[in-house]
Amino acid sequence: MTNWIDIGPLDGIAPRGARVVRTDWGCIAVFRTSDDEVFALEDSCPHKKGPLSEGIVHGKSVTCPLHNWVISLETGAAQGADQGQTGTIATRVEDGRILMDEAVLQARSAA
Amino acid sequence: MKKLVVIGAGMATGRALEHLFDADPDAYEVTLFNAEPRGNYNRIMLSPVLSGEKTYEEIVTHGDDWYAQHGVTCRFGEKIAKVDLDRKVVVAENGDEVAFDKLLFGTGSNPFIIPLPGHDLKGVIAYRDLEDTYAMMDAAGTPGAKAVVIGGGLLGLEAAAGLRMRGMDVTVVHLMGHLMDRQLDEAAGYLLRKALTDRGIHIRCSTNSKEIRGEDGQVKALVLDDGSELPCDLLVMAVGIRPNVALAKDSGLAVGKAIHVDDQMVTSHPDVLAVGECVEHNGAIFGLVAPLYDQAKVVAKTLLGEDATFVQKEVSTKLKVTGCDLFSAGDFAEGEGREDIVFRDPARGVYKRLVIEGNTLVGAVMYGDTADGNWFFGLIKDRTDIAEMRETLIFGPAFQGGAHVDPMAAVAALPADAEICGCNGVCKGDIVAAIEAGATDLGAIRASTKASASCGTCTGLVEQVLSSTLGDDFVLPAAQSVCGCTDLSHEDVRVLIKTKELKSQPAVWQELGWKSRDGCHVCRPAINFYLLADWPLEYQDDPQSRFINERKHANIQKDGTYSVVPRMWGGMTTPDELRAIADAAEKYDVPTVHVTGGQRIDLLGVKGEDLPAIWADLNKAGLVSGHAYSKGLRTVKTCVGKEHCRFGTQDSTGLGIKLEKHLWGSWTPHKVKLAVSGCPRNCAEATCKDIGVVCVDSGYQIGVGGAAGMDVKETERLADVTSEEEVMEIASAFMQLYRENAKYLDRPYKWIKKVGLEWVKEQVIDDLDNRKALAERFEISQSIYRKDPWAEHAQERAETYQPIANLTLRAAE
């Protein structure tokens, strides 16, 4: 089951930028690509927990600001030779608003 | 015969009537009302009428003969005042009642007029019908007349191109960052902008309008958000359309964004149909002609009692501006799990991008070469499985294993008069001539033309000219490319940005054949710097292409907190400043306060969301950003000099403060640190700085290229001078030379090693005119960048430092 909640306007995030959603289960980084696609990942690099929300967004990837690991926005997986994966959260955009699936988070914290 | 009343003689109802009469000419007796005093013409051909390529007569689709032949009662120039659905009559404006068995709404849409102050002035028009077109043609008849078009979409650009062809001075003002943002991506938008600029149309993107200024009721100028004015005699608003639904709503039909219709084009009343831009079907509204024609077919069948279903299909767009070849189709913007295939040919100005989802093509954007557009459009519509041809898909249907993109295309495409070597003023043509006269390697080119014989930055380009001229006879030495997005080296990119006058990132990606959609974390910060260093007035710094420290103006620490270092000019401070720093440290629970090696104080462990607030507090005490996080000017360290010290020879503190106030805020390829020592005892350690000044009795010794980090290196003497003014000018000129020429992330000592100190001396010491010119260019750049980013962010961007949402608060409720 999904539980879509409105987290804010698409315009609240710069293209090729990110903002954070604070939750009881930790911070979620919400990214907007140059094509206005929106993705959400746990705001923690699989390497040393760097804040992915502060990285440079390019194509459908983000580069962690601490040690330049490149993480796929679609799968949360580290690219190239690095190994590791960050959790993804489903999002969609409707009428200029960003919706995020909170059910995934709750399930994750319950597990 | 049954009676059909049609409201609106537009392209959709016109096509519906054609289908109806074709299938059964005797089924209905038709009465056609139209608010415009004429019948149906091809509205999408208004642009060729405006540009003078066609006349009105040529775009009429249904003439008087056609209506007479089919027995249509035409009531042109008459509006409908009311529709009575219970009695099944329409009431014309003059009170006439006309009864119907079936009613067809084709009321189309109205142009949206932005309610700016002054929008009702004479000379402010939309671009929608023949009257608007004639008004534009009239205005263009006055020699020297100026026009402004608000809206850089399809219609706005067609209007602009038409007006330009009629000789007007035209400026397009567009709210978004690139033209036709709904149909094109940045790269294609860039190429379009370039083509339109080439034909003399001025384009202003990311620009918001504030008001329209008039004189005696006639439009005179458009005032922009930033207060600047664009004088104009004609102002065209082409910012979109709104379905015209007032009559349908008053009649009691179900209306949302537009008139609701089902798959048979029937409205909420079983005897009333609607077609065209005034309908809403499954939540969608329609502005392009292809779906309207599909609807018209369905309308005709429904009226005849036959089965038909309207199905929404993908649409494609082409711009009707002669010479601007662009095509876009499908959905290339949103959605997850999608991949891009990008092809660029800088020499021909071609850009193609395909968007693939699974094994199907879902979107395509093309510029410059749109020959394969319809083939791609077919693949999109039919959802063809493209797995087999994926590798070669972008080369189109004709591709049979041809050549791949040539990495040297950018150099091969340069004209003969393009300057390759800036130091010696050598053009590509000179080098080619030298090769044709027998030169076969770099040494011979240097000997015969001097190209790349001075600073050497253009070596890579000279080699590429050798390679493209000699072909296989010249083996290109492998140069380190910027990153995986390009085969060009930093040096090549810098030179090409200057010679090809590339002034935006999409311009660089396109013209230099970038292999990725929008660069990566390696190239973006470098390109962003090169552009702002070379085009300080034209290029706008892109925060999203900066490493987090420079984007947030603070240094990120390993736990995700930040450090804040206020500037202390020349290492000087006051009790008030110290008090403000202490107060801020307490107020924001700063765990660590540290004194830096650059003579200032570092507050470590500040939370990201507290940054704007702590800056605002520090600003109040007069403290500004110390740029301790930037590839830019960091500190100017000083000793106390002759004011206090018994050995001091000059006012080293005063000079340090002057230098820092002059240089602060400037961006450089890597960080830059200065120091001024008051005597050769050198307490400020000036001889290991990027620029170090040692004061002596006779004046000032200026050294450059020192280092005390990974490498330790003593400065080399650039010059000895006698006045502070000379120190200031030489420091400015040196900074600018470094900014204009060095590779991103090369500290000055590394750069000097590559170009040679002798060359630097020639540029900033020996050639006085050049020194002045460099210092002037530095000052132009500083007119933009010499400011406190903390104050700006605290006042204008504080919101972006906060989470976009806080769900913990919600849970606590």
Side-chain angles (χ1 to χ4, degrees):
Chain A
M1 209 190 77
T2 50
N3 179 22
W4 294 106
I5 48 167
D6 186 325
I7 56 162
L10 181 63
D11 291 347
I13 305 178
R16 298 191 196 102
R19 293 277 292 277
V20 155
V21 173
R22 195 174 289 153
T23 76
D24 288 327
W25 313 284
C27 281
I28 307 297
V30 185
F31 301 89
R32 174 177 174 189
T33 70
S34 59
D35 280 349
D36 289 347
E37 291 168 78
V38 171
F39 299 96
L41 299 178
E42 288 171 20
D43 193 18
S44 176
C45 181
H47 177 218
K48 301 227 169 179
K49 299 190 163 57
L52 296 174
S53 58
E54 311 285 34
I56 289 180
V57 177
H58 47 99
K60 289 186 207 181
S61 303
V62 61
T63 300
C64 177
L66 292 195
H67 307 96
N68 287 341
W69 277 37
V70 179
I71 308 297
S72 161
L73 296 178
E74 292 177 285
T75 64
Q79 308 289 287
D82 297 319
Q83 296 282 325
Q85 190 153 17
T86 291
T88 60
I89 296 93
T91 56
R92 58 194 177 103
V93 177
E94 231 177 65
D95 295 333
R97 305 290 299 182
I98 301 170
L99 306 180
M100 195 174 78
D101 183 11
E102 201 189 14
V104 180
L105 287 175
Q106 286 164 332
R108 198 167 292 158
S109 71
Chain B
M1 238 202 279
K2 284 193 281 185
K3 290 184 169 59
L4 171 67
V5 170
V6 180
I7 309 174
M11 301 184 66
T13 57
R15 182 56 69 95
L17 288 176
E18 279 177 26
H19 286 304
L20 180 67
F21 294 142
D22 279 353
D24 185 352
D26 301 319
Y28 286 95
E29 188 187 322
V30 179
T31 305
L32 176 60
F33 283 90
N34 197 26
E36 271 188 77
R38 62 180 69 83
N40 184 22
Y41 58 92
N42 189 345
R43 213 176 277 272
I44 58 177
M45 296 307 277
L46 282 174
S47 293
V49 172
L50 175 63
S51 62
E53 289 159 286
K54 282 199 187 308
T55 63
Y56 168 65
E57 287 69 31
E58 288 175 90
I59 67 165
V60 171
T61 50
H62 301 94
D64 295 343
D65 299 352
W66 188 86
Y67 292 117
Q69 189 193 328
H70 293 95
V72 177
T73 307
C74 297
R75 304 197 52 169
F76 295 157
E78 283 190 69
K79 288 184 185 167
I80 297 294
K82 193 175 162 235
V83 176
D84 189 331
L85 290 177
D86 298 331
R87 291 169 49 223
K88 292 181 60 173
V89 294
V90 298
V91 185
E93 263 186 331
N94 64 4
D96 272 4
E97 292 196 351
V98 181
F100 63 82
D101 296 298
K102 294 280 181 187
L103 176 64
L104 176 61
F105 269 86
T107 45
S109 61
N110 294 323
F112 180 65
I113 298 288
I114 313 168
L116 292 173
H119 69 271
D120 44 6
L121 287 164
K122 195 162 168 289
V124 178
I125 60 168
Y127 183 27
R128 187 70 195 141
D129 56 25
L130 199 61
E131 273 69 32
D132 296 330
T133 310
Y134 284 152
M136 285 194 243
M137 287 157 70
D138 257 5
T142 315
K146 288 180 172 18
V148 167
V149 177
I150 302 182
L154 204 57
L155 214 51
L157 296 181
E158 290 186 6
L163 291 170
R164 180 71 198 130
M165 274 184 81
R166 287 189 174 267
M168 281 188 106
D169 182 315
V170 183
T171 304
V172 176
V173 174
H174 189 52
L175 186 59
M176 306 305 285
H178 66 270
L179 296 174
M180 290 183 66
D181 51 278
R182 286 170 60 183
Q183 291 90 9
L184 301 182
D185 58 9
E186 272 179 314
Y190 154 76
L191 284 169
L192 175 60
R193 177 179 183 147
K194 190 172 145 190
L196 293 172
T197 305
D198 280 351
R199 59 185 63 191
I201 297 172
H202 312 288
I203 309 275
R204 309 264 307 235
C205 286
S206 305
T207 301
N208 208 350
S209 311
K210 193 159 110 194
E211 64 170 296
I212 303 164
R213 200 158 283 169
E215 203 177 283
D216 305 327
Q218 160 70 33
V219 62
K220 274 283 161 250
L222 176 70
V223 184
L224 303 174
D225 243 7
D226 63 6
S228 61
E229 267 186 48
L230 300 173
C232 61
D233 309 288
L234 175 75
L235 191 145
V236 182
M237 282 203 200
V239 292
I241 52 171
R242 296 285 178 275
N244 183 5
V245 297
L247 184 65
K249 211 172 192 169
D250 292 346
S251 316
L253 294 174
V255 170
K257 284 183 276 191
I259 307 171
H260 285 297
V261 293
D262 61 14
D263 291 349
Q264 282 67 49
M265 306 309 294
V266 178
T267 66
S268 57
H269 188 287
D271 292 320
V272 182
L273 290 78
V275 67
E277 290 179 331
C278 64
V279 309
E280 177 180 343
H281 174 261
N282 281 345
I285 54 175
F286 307 86
L288 297 171
V289 78
L292 304 196
Y293 283 170
D294 287 345
Q295 292 174 0
K297 265 185 219 162
V298 176
V299 164
K301 293 216 168 190
T302 305
L303 285 172
L304 294 170
E306 295 170 30
D307 277 346
T309 300
F310 171 61
V311 182
Q312 289 182 28
K313 289 189 196 136
E314 301 289 347
V315 291
S316 67
T317 309
K318 270 198 164 190
L319 182 74
K320 288 175 297 301
V321 172
T322 315
C324 293
D325 233 357
L326 69 82
F327 177 89
S328 100
D331 178 2
F332 54 86
E334 287 164 42
E336 291 179 28
R338 291 186 174 175
E339 289 169 276
D340 285 324
I341 299 178
V342 176
F343 171 87
R344 306 181 201 249
D345 183 346
R348 291 190 300 140
V350 170
Y351 170 79
K352 300 183 187 183
R353 179 171 153 223
L354 303 178
V355 183
I356 291 171
E357 192 169 53
N359 284 328
T360 54
L361 183 65
V362 294
V365 189
M366 312 168 79
Y367 191 97
D369 173 5
T370 56
D372 298 333
N374 285 324
W375 184 69
F376 289 124
F377 187 39
L379 297 180
I380 295 171
K381 276 197 300 193
D382 303 340
R383 302 197 68 75
T384 310
D385 186 325
I386 50 98
E388 292 292 309
M389 50 183 163
R390 185 176 170 132
E391 295 271 292
T392 56
L393 183 66
I394 197 143
F395 301 107
F399 180 78
Q400 297 297 329
H404 284 276
V405 194
D406 181 357
M408 289 191 307
V411 172
L414 287 175
D417 61 358
E419 193 174 78
I420 299 283
C421 174
C423 297
N424 297 299
V426 186
C427 299
K428 180 183 166 188
D430 303 333
I431 298 170
V432 172
I435 296 167
E436 281 161 358
T440 55
D441 60 25
L442 195 61
I445 296 290
R446 283 183 178 158
S448 54
T449 68
K450 282 206 159 51
S452 81
S454 295
C455 79
T457 308
C458 61
T459 303
L461 287 177
V462 174
E463 285 170 343
Q464 292 198 28
V465 174
L466 273 162
S467 173
S468 67
T469 311
L470 293 172
D472 294 342
D473 293 340
F474 182 79
V475 180
L476 199 63
Q480 181 99 35
S481 70
V482 177
C483 63
C485 301
T486 177
D487 293 327
L488 296 166
S489 69
H490 280 273
E491 287 75 11
D492 296 345
V493 171
R494 285 222 79 163
V495 175
L496 288 166
I497 283 174
K498 292 182 176 77
T499 47
K500 293 174 78 98
E501 300 198 1
L502 307 178
K503 298 183 181 177
S504 70
Q505 294 207 57
V508 171
W509 301 332
Q510 172 59 29
E511 297 291 341
L512 305 186
W514 240 242
K515 288 179 272 187
S516 57
R517 188 211 296 176
D518 52 6
C520 69
H521 67 273
V522 178
C523 61
R524 282 241 304 279
I527 304 301
N528 185 55
F529 167 74
Y530 295 153
L531 289 167
L532 72 83
D534 284 342
W535 316 109
L537 301 180
E538 291 102 326
Y539 179 73
Q540 193 162 12
D541 182 32
D542 174 26
Q544 303 309 332
S545 293
R546 288 190 173 278
F547 181 61
I548 183 62
N549 290 358
E550 296 186 343
R551 197 180 329 135
K552 284 208 163 161
H553 294 276
N555 273 320
I556 195 165
Q557 307 296 314
K558 68 175 194 179
D559 61 354
T561 64
Y562 292 85
S563 86
V564 169
V565 184
R567 200 168 277 288
M568 288 180 172
W569 306 98
M572 300 297 282
T573 187
T574 63
D576 279 344
E577 285 184 353
L578 291 172
R579 224 171 266 126
I581 291 170
D583 288 346
E586 283 184 350
K587 181 170 170 187
Y588 298 97
D589 290 330
V590 172
T592 307
V593 182
H594 177 248
V595 176
T596 74
Q599 298 183 335
R600 36 204 202 170
I601 293 175
D602 191 354
L603 304 174
L604 290 132
V606 180
K607 288 189 270 310
E609 57 260 43
D610 285 342
L611 288 171
I614 194 170
W615 293 337
D617 286 0
L618 293 169
N619 278 162
K620 275 183 214 146
L623 290 158
V624 297
S625 167
H627 293 88
Y629 46 80
S630 76
K631 312 275 178 263
L633 181 90
R634 295 281 180 93
T635 64
V636 181
K637 191 171 176 179
T638 68
C639 67
V640 293
K642 72 173 180 186
E643 293 302 301
H644 299 277
C645 177
R646 61 204 165 99
F647 300 115
T649 60
Q650 311 282 353
D651 177 13
S652 53
T653 331
L655 177 57
I657 293 171
K658 273 185 213 159
L659 280 167
E660 192 163 352
K661 295 227 167 183
H662 189 68
L663 304 176
W664 80 295
S666 58
W667 297 102
T668 43
H670 206 303
K671 60 187 172 185
V672 173
K673 297 178 175 181
L674 274 71
V676 185
S677 285
C679 78
R681 287 169 192 77
N682 193 15
C683 294
E685 296 158 346
T687 50
C688 63
K689 296 290 185 264
D690 298 290
I691 304 176
V693 180
V694 176
C695 301
V696 289
D697 246 357
S698 57
Y700 308 85
Q701 300 173 338
I702 306 172
V704 292
M710 276 213 278
D711 296 308
V712 179
K713 205 181 151 298
E714 190 181 346
T715 52
E716 293 179 85
R717 189 73 59 82
L718 185 63
D720 292 347
V721 296
T722 53
S723 69
E724 285 192 346
E725 288 69 35
E726 285 170 285
V727 176
M728 300 286 290
E729 190 173 78
I730 288 170
S732 295
F734 176 80
M735 284 284 272
Q736 187 64 11
L737 193 70
Y738 172 53
R739 281 160 41 84
E740 288 179 3
N741 292 282
K743 172 186 157 200
Y744 188 66
L745 299 187
D746 265 358
R747 284 287 286 269
Y749 74 96
K750 283 195 179 166
W751 165 66
I752 292 170
K753 198 170 151 195
K754 287 181 187 166
V755 300
L757 185 67
E758 282 314 304
W759 180 77
V760 176
K761 277 186 182 166
E762 279 167 27
Q763 301 293 312
V764 298
I765 305 301
D766 304 343
D767 186 342
L768 282 177
D769 291 339
N770 194 51
R771 181 201 300 177
K772 261 199 175 40
L774 282 164
E776 274 165 23
R777 290 206 291 280
F778 182 73
E779 199 48 37
I780 289 170
S781 173
Q782 283 294 77
S783 71
I784 308 289
Y785 292 104
R786 190 189 284 133
K787 62 176 180 203
D788 180 22
W790 286 359
E792 194 187 330
H793 281 232
Q795 282 156 25
E796 291 162 25
R797 298 202 209 165
E799 176 60 25
T800 62
Y801 286 75
Q802 308 307 321
I804 190 168
N806 190 343
L807 303 180
T808 58
L809 294 177
R810 199 190 58 139
E813 275 165 15

